[in-house]
Amino acid sequence: NSDGSLDTTFNPGTGANSEVSAIAIQSDGKIIIGGWFTTYNGTGRNRIARINSDGSLDTTFNPGTGADEAVYALAIQSDGKIIIGGWFTTYNGTGGSRIARINSDGSLDTTFNPSAGANEAVYALAIQSDGKIIIGGEFTAYNGTGRNNIARINSDGSLDTTFNPGTGANSGVSAIAIQSDGKIIIGGSFTAYNG
């Protein structure tokens, strides 16, 4: 509750069987969670699930076999589609190198094509008002182009080459927020940005 007490009307049952690393709330109040878990309240859900506002699993959201490794970051687009980032290389059996977009029913959105994607983990992401996506993590390339720990990608999954971070961050980026003026705040383990 807003006073800090536990809201006992929210009942996840046994909840996730391992770490939850990311949470986003849809406009209808349902909650998308991502992390390391493989079940939610005893039902198989590999690293991503949607839960109802009362804490129960939303079974209308079906990710199939889900992500093959951890989901560290997620954000919901204005059209209800969900961008996920992490350590995974497949989603429901289809390649998605550490970033993917999924439809509101849990299926993979195949119109989003990152090709080779990030070559290492994506830990954070944020969606700009124009639909472009800022990603941060511990990668050194996106789809074969050098990008040290931060990049911007277009709404179709391709690299936005007009965003040039130079040498980027010298270590991991684990948090991203976009200001109302479009400037980007990043946090992480880095001690330098573009030198």
Side-chain angles (χ1 to χ4, degrees), residues 13-128:
T14 57
N17 68 337
S18 190
E19 178 182 321
V20 173
S21 305
I23 298 173
I25 301 171
Q26 295 184 166
S27 58
D28 62 1
K30 292 183 178 183
I31 305 155
I32 307 289
I33 60 171
W36 286 94
F37 58 88
T38 56
T39 66
Y40 185 85
N41 198 19
T43 300
R45 286 293 184 271
N46 283 328
R47 300 167 188 96
I48 189 162
R50 183 167 65 200
I51 56 179
N52 297 306
S53 57
D54 64 0
S56 63
L57 182 67
D58 178 1
T59 56
T60 67
F61 181 88
N62 183 2
T65 58
D68 67 335
E69 289 287 344
V71 172
Y72 293 123
L74 53 86
I76 301 170
Q77 295 184 164
S78 57
D79 62 1
K81 292 183 178 182
I82 304 149
I83 305 289
I84 62 171
W87 191 245
F88 58 90
T89 56
T90 66
Y91 183 86
N92 197 19
T94 300
S97 196
R98 299 174 185 93
I99 189 159
R101 183 166 63 203
I102 56 179
N103 297 307
S104 59
D105 64 358
S107 63
L108 183 68
D109 178 2
T110 57
T111 67
F112 182 86
N113 183 8
S115 295
N119 67 338
E120 296 289 339
V122 173
Y123 290 137
L125 56 88
I127 303 170
Q128 296 183 164

Side-chain angles (χ1 to χ4, degrees), residues 75 77 83 99-101 112 124-128 130-135 151-158 160 176 178:
Q77 295 184 164
I83 305 289
I99 189 159
R101 183 166 63 203
F112 182 86
L125 56 88
I127 303 170
Q128 296 183 164
D130 63 0
K132 292 184 178 183
I133 305 150
I134 307 291
I135 62 170
R152 183 167 67 197
I153 57 178
N154 297 306
S155 59
D156 64 359
S158 62
D160 178 1
I176 300 171
I178 301 172

